[in-house]
Amino acid sequence: MREVLATLPRFEATGPSHAGLAHERYAPQKDDEKEESGSPWRRWLGWMDGAREPEHYGVAYRRWRGSLTQWHTASVEMRATGRLLAGHGNASPTGVGLTLHHTWGVPVIPGSSLKGVLAAYLRASFEPDEVAEASRRLFGVPGDERLGQEASVGQVLFHDAPWVASRGKEGVAPRMLARDVLTVHQRGWYGTAGSWPNDYESPNPVAFLSVRPGGRFLVALSVAPGADEETLRLLRWAADRLCEALRDWGVGGKTAAGYGRLVPEGSVVVAAPRVVSRPSPERDAFKAWGEAQRAAKTEQRKVLEDFDAQWRARLMSLSREARMECAEALRGWVRNPKLQARRDELLRLLVDGA
């Protein structure tokens, strides 16, 4: 198999089109060559260093983000201040694992990792009595028949944190991965030789790949629709504590060496579930009118005036859910900061039925 892969044309300067496939299947056998030109292994590492976000990943990312609207969701984009090594223990040709999305090959932080970081942070930062109830609701508890204790599941869903789609100047996406090295100084002690540590063994550099600093991830926690106010407060509290844990502790492997630190880009946003209304000819006609105005590049002030004069009264017969949907559509059509006050007042009148 390796002989067949060795004949495939790859290691272009642009990097692989699918970093996950290249990482799991295209790695050549390690060698002892010092020069990169004569070492397929080192050239493969250099090739992986050029991996970029796939061209159409943005579509999948927006679809992923849209799927979060079916729950009450607290979300925030977080940026890696240093290197990140999620999936350190996964099987890998480099000997150091890395979690990459199976379909798109972009880095991803598993939700189970985020859950574990938050649980450890709460245990270390608070007295047990202070967070006992919050931990039970967040993570659930196992049952114990001897104590008559029933098992319960956590109320908060920890989503995987996907790579945030980003394209820079001229539509070029930033690089995702970076070559890294871990230097073992006591090879015999860590290996099978069984020798005692000493000061005269030669260092043994181990090359691997990690996520490049500056990468952004969407961290999101959710609770089911219909949650009460107390549960929503717990959701925001958990999201804020998770941001603290990721900032101060990090996530993934080698956090003691400074890996895995993430800082929020903005504040945590808690969004209610998307309102789904029944089919409505009046609502559909309004949306078609708005799209036609946008296609014709009608002045936004004129769009707002026509909405007030022609549509607001007509839409009042719709359900509140349908009116909210129309309001969100108009919000997207009229974005001029000078018109926001008038727009928001008209939307309030529409939604509240005034």
Side-chain angles (χ1 to χ4, degrees):
M1 181 66 174
R2 288 190 180 274
E3 290 75 10
V4 174
L5 291 176
T7 63
L8 295 177
R10 59 184 192 280
F11 305 162
E12 300 86 353
T14 56
S17 59
H18 192 294
L21 181 62
H23 186 258
E24 295 179 8
R25 295 290 183 266
Y26 276 15
Q29 192 167 359
K30 291 184 179 180
D31 52 52
D32 296 327
E33 295 287 340
K34 303 300 182 184
E35 297 296 330
E36 186 158 327
S37 59
S39 169
W41 168 254
R42 293 178 182 274
R43 286 192 290 118
W44 176 80
L45 285 171
W47 180 56
M48 292 295 297
D49 188 274
R52 298 179 184 272
E53 174 190 312
E55 180 181 357
H56 300 295
Y57 170 69
V59 177
Y61 173 75
R62 289 190 292 272
R63 187 181 299 122
W64 170 277
R65 189 154 196 163
S67 71
L68 299 177
T69 59
Q70 58 188 306
W71 300 288
H72 290 282
T73 300
S75 63
V76 61
E77 290 185 7
M78 304 199 71
R79 175 177 52 84
T81 58
R83 302 198 177 206
L84 185 144
L85 193 57
H88 181 277
N90 294 350
S92 167
T94 65
V96 179
L98 184 64
T99 301
L100 300 173
H101 194 278
H102 180 76
T103 304
W104 290 98
V106 298
V108 61
I109 304 174
S112 57
S113 297
L114 300 175
K115 189 174 184 179
V117 167
L118 179 59
Y121 180 77
L122 294 182
R123 287 196 301 268
S125 304
F126 297 89
E127 293 296 330
D129 293 342
E130 292 181 305
V131 293
E133 178 61 19
S135 296
R136 183 189 68 79
R137 298 183 64 185
L138 283 171
F139 312 118
V141 294
D144 192 330
E145 295 182 357
R146 295 173 299 176
L147 301 177
Q149 181 179 3
E150 295 185 0
S152 65
V153 298
Q155 298 178 4
V156 175
L157 175 63
F158 290 74
H159 298 279
D160 292 345
W163 176 270
V164 175
S166 174
R167 293 208 165 252
K169 295 180 179 179
E170 300 179 358
V172 178
R175 290 189 293 173
M176 302 183 298
L177 307 180
R179 296 172 69 165
D180 214 329
V181 64
L182 173 67
T183 303
V184 179
H185 287 270
Q186 305 291 345
R187 187 173 186 176
W189 169 250
Y190 289 108
T192 59
S195 62
W196 289 97
N198 55 69
D199 294 330
Y200 52 80
E201 281 192 80
S202 298
N204 178 41
V206 178
F208 61 97
L209 294 163
S210 59
V211 179
R212 187 175 291 271
R216 293 183 298 138
F217 297 85
L218 176 65
V219 175
L221 311 179
S222 295
V223 296
D228 55 24
E229 290 297 325
E230 184 179 356
T231 303
L232 294 180
R233 285 195 295 271
L234 174 67
L235 177 66
R236 175 173 284 281
W237 181 83
D240 290 338
R241 301 294 78 74
L242 179 57
C243 287
E244 294 172 4
L246 295 174
R247 181 195 64 202
D248 299 336
W249 285 26
V251 65
K254 296 171 68 64
T255 53
Y259 282 58
R261 303 294 196 275
L262 297 103
V263 294
E265 299 266 284
S267 58
V268 175
V269 176
V270 179
R274 179 181 57 198
V275 177
V276 180
S277 59
R278 295 182 178 181
S280 167
E282 198 74 13
R283 178 203 61 195
D284 295 343
F286 171 71
K287 286 189 173 184
W289 170 82
E291 292 300 332
Q293 302 307 305
R294 178 150 61 178
K297 297 183 179 180
T298 304
E299 185 183 1
Q300 294 185 22
R301 185 181 300 277
K302 181 71 165 54
V303 172
L304 210 56
E305 292 173 353
D306 289 348
F307 165 77
D308 189 27
Q310 303 174 19
W311 286 98
R312 188 163 65 86
R314 290 174 57 182
L315 298 177
M316 295 305 298
S317 61
L318 301 179
S319 66
R320 178 180 174 82
E321 290 78 9
R323 296 200 305 272
M324 291 177 64
E325 194 172 339
C326 293
E328 286 303 312
L330 183 64
R331 193 185 304 276
W333 299 331
V334 181
R335 295 180 177 273
N336 190 330
K338 296 181 180 180
L339 301 175
Q340 284 185 2
R342 176 58 176 163
R343 179 202 65 187
D344 293 344
E345 175 61 18
L346 290 175
L347 295 185
R348 186 189 65 79
L349 295 174
L350 173 65
V351 173
D352 294 341

